[in-house]
Amino acid sequence: MTRRAGAVLVAVLVASVSASCGGSGDETSAAPTTATPATAAPATAAPATEPPSTPPPTTAPPTAPPTTAPATTVPEPEPEPDPDQVRDAATLQAYVAEAASFTQADTAWLLPDDLDPSAGGAPGMTRYVFRETSAGVVPTLVEGPIGRQVRCQDPDLPCSYRDLVELHASGDPIPDALSITADQLGALVGQLDTLAAFAIRHAEPDAACAAGFVSDAIQTPNMGSHFHRARSFLDGFDPGAPEILIYAPSDGSLVNGPLGYCAGDVWIGPDLSLVGTAFLLPPDVVGIEHPEGFTGDLDNWHSHFNLCRGNARGRDAFVTRAECEAAGGSWFDAIGWMLHAWVAPGFDSQLGVFSMWNPTIAPVADPDAVRAARQVRGSDFPDGARQSLITNFAFERTLTVDVGQSIYFNNVDSVPHTVSAGTPDDPDLASFDSGLLSPGDNWELPTSEAGTFSLFCALHPDMTATLIVD
Ligand SMILES: [Cu+2]
């Protein structure tokens, strides 16, 4: 879901007396897990702000005092309300009322505490992915890190398994972007070699069946079909013993439907090739924070939420629990921390050994095309814009852009927010105002003048930030 406003000029904020709408309420900030079901209305976000050239109302509010000078015997009247202030106050109150009707789906979903969003942004570090369902917008994925990680999903960087092996063997300088020392690289390659040896021992799906792995029967594009071994979940993280082996049809096809199954030690289904491995660590084994994992910071873990697996069509679906179970799917409130590791010969991922998607797996595609298609920022991310996440009930405290550069806000929180000009005590919505941004909504704020500006969220007065345009 993305939404973009029309062009909005950033005007110099006009100093005005304090508006009466400060502290516009925090009614909507209840923890998502305690929300009650109702008619979630993510698509009803307010329209884009009016351009600043819109003239203020010309008629005074009904309560306005007479504009003629009072007689000297009459007590001095209240100052006449500024029409801009009256309008802003009404708008802010409308946002609060509208946001109060927003609820998450009635699902018991689990999100990691203490997510650090500081590294957020394209192409996706810590962030939520939201999906719209018939019951509202729900988070379906969160990606690591908690703590420091390096996303190495650039085909130009040596981050595939084979690249890392060759880099280690060469003794060449390690690109700074990998943020890894030579010793750490050696340790990582050693771990991956151990993993690759495990993978090769299970090159045939029969070997996986014999070892107790169970097929999920679902072939995910650019990923394959996951065979998991439940008893491995209990062991914690062992780089040489992944919980999951990943296979895909050897003919390169993308099967649209149930893939097959293990009958004892024998795979019944299309001819499969091993394409990769994955790790799955349930929170009740490793805790809510994602595991330390592999040496270095290249391993980007993720966790799924509100996921319906394996319905009759052999595809994951984003539906409610009731709809999932009615369709014969398996429902997961939350799946533990997961990590792909592409170490199978012939399926080296140029988006990195730990990438979410592997362009060598059906449907085979150019790495850049796969990466572009999977970026969090969406296809309408404006060229040259600065991306800024709204998450954990906070803006980035200071946003700095060049004159003319726009800011692209992404609401990756679980509740609505707004990006509104001014402060809670002194709003100036005529300068800019996003309207309600539901979870997953994006909003672009162009800039046209140098200056320092304040912005705030109409729903959460603690959410303020400074915008520096220079
Ligand atoms: Cu807010």
Side-chain angles (χ1 to χ4, degrees):
M1 272 190 312
T2 61
R3 199 162 64 84
R4 285 172 62 181
V8 178
L9 296 176
V10 176
V12 176
L13 298 180
V14 178
S16 59
V17 296
S18 176
S20 61
C21 51
S24 54
D26 202 20
E27 296 90 337
T28 59
S29 64
T33 49
T34 61
T36 52
T39 52
T44 59
T49 181
E50 295 175 2
S53 59
T54 302
T58 52
T59 55
T63 57
T67 54
T68 52
T72 53
T73 56
V74 176
E76 191 170 323
E78 295 283 315
E80 181 173 348
D82 181 333
D84 285 343
Q85 290 180 25
V86 173
R87 186 184 53 191
D88 284 358
T91 301
L92 294 172
Q93 286 166 9
Y95 290 161
V96 171
E98 184 178 351
S101 70
F102 179 88
T103 60
Q104 289 291 340
D106 182 26
T107 52
W109 42 279
L110 174 68
L111 292 173
D113 293 329
D114 304 323
L115 283 172
D116 174 6
S118 59
M125 291 287 282
T126 294
R127 48 100 174 179
Y128 302 108
V129 173
F130 292 90
R131 297 271 188 160
E132 192 165 4
T133 74
S134 66
V137 175
V138 297
T140 59
L141 187 89
V142 62
E143 285 189 279
I146 294 172
R148 178 180 174 77
Q149 287 203 345
V150 174
R151 179 146 301 227
C152 193
Q153 299 196 349
D154 183 340
D156 295 331
L157 289 172
C159 293
S160 77
Y161 172 43
R162 204 161 58 196
D163 288 342
L164 292 170
V165 169
E166 290 175 0
L167 179 62
H168 174 58
S170 72
D172 289 344
I174 300 171
D176 291 343
L178 274 59
S179 188
I180 194 170
T181 68
D183 286 348
Q184 288 175 321
L185 177 61
L188 174 60
V189 166
Q191 290 172 322
L192 293 172
D193 287 344
T194 306
L195 177 60
F198 183 97
I200 289 169
R201 290 200 298 276
H202 299 82
E204 299 296 327
D206 286 357
C209 293
F213 287 85
V214 176
S215 169
D216 68 359
I218 301 164
Q219 187 183 1
T220 305
N222 298 126
M223 199 178 279
S225 179
H226 297 62
F227 285 53
H228 70 273
R229 183 163 63 177
R231 68 175 161 83
S232 297
F233 296 160
L234 305 176
D235 299 342
F237 177 71
D238 177 351
E243 288 77 19
I244 292 170
L245 294 168
I246 306 176
Y247 297 84
S250 302
D251 64 3
S253 63
L254 185 61
V255 176
N256 188 18
L259 198 62
Y261 57 95
C262 289
D265 295 354
V266 179
W267 168 248
I268 308 296
D271 200 19
L272 300 182
S273 299
L274 182 86
V275 297
T277 70
F279 296 83
L280 200 173
L281 301 176
D284 55 358
V285 175
V286 300
I288 194 67
E289 292 199 8
H290 84 70
E292 177 58 33
F294 286 88
T295 299
D297 299 326
L298 299 179
D299 48 338
N300 305 129
W301 295 73
H302 66 276
S303 185
H304 296 274
F305 301 91
N306 297 307
L307 184 63
C308 179
R309 301 227 70 199
N311 63 14
R313 296 178 52 228
R315 285 278 187 276
D316 291 338
F318 299 98
V319 296
T320 66
R321 176 196 289 266
E323 290 165 348
C324 178
E325 292 173 347
S330 299
W331 174 261
F332 295 89
D333 289 335
I335 298 180
W337 287 107
M338 299 187 71
L339 176 74
H340 297 113
W342 307 110
V343 296
F347 296 93
D348 207 48
S349 175
Q350 288 305 306
L351 295 182
V353 61
F354 299 120
S355 61
M356 183 84 82
W357 316 104
N358 185 333
T360 70
I361 299 171
V364 174
D366 178 75
D368 284 320
V370 171
R371 187 174 64 148
R374 302 294 187 181
Q375 282 185 357
V376 61
R377 60 189 187 179
S379 58
D380 61 348
F381 185 88
D383 280 346
R386 181 194 188 296
Q387 188 178 35
S388 185
L389 297 188
I390 308 169
T391 190
N392 286 359
F393 290 86
F395 298 111
E396 293 179 81
R397 296 294 300 184
T398 304
L399 293 148
T400 303
V401 294
D402 299 330
V403 175
Q405 183 183 24
S406 65
I407 307 172
Y408 199 64
F409 289 95
N410 307 138
N411 181 10
V412 295
D413 253 345
S414 51
V415 299
H417 295 294
T418 77
V419 181
S420 303
T423 66
D425 291 333
D426 189 9
D428 180 25
L429 305 190
S431 290
F432 59 86
D433 177 32
S434 67
L436 280 193
L437 299 176
S438 290
D441 275 356
N442 303 327
W443 185 70
E444 182 182 10
L445 173 63
T447 67
S448 60
E449 292 180 27
T452 299
F453 308 93
S454 298
L455 58 87
F456 72 107
C457 172
L459 307 172
H460 309 110
D462 290 344
M463 290 178 60
T464 59
T466 300
L467 166 61
I468 299 170
V469 182
D470 68 359

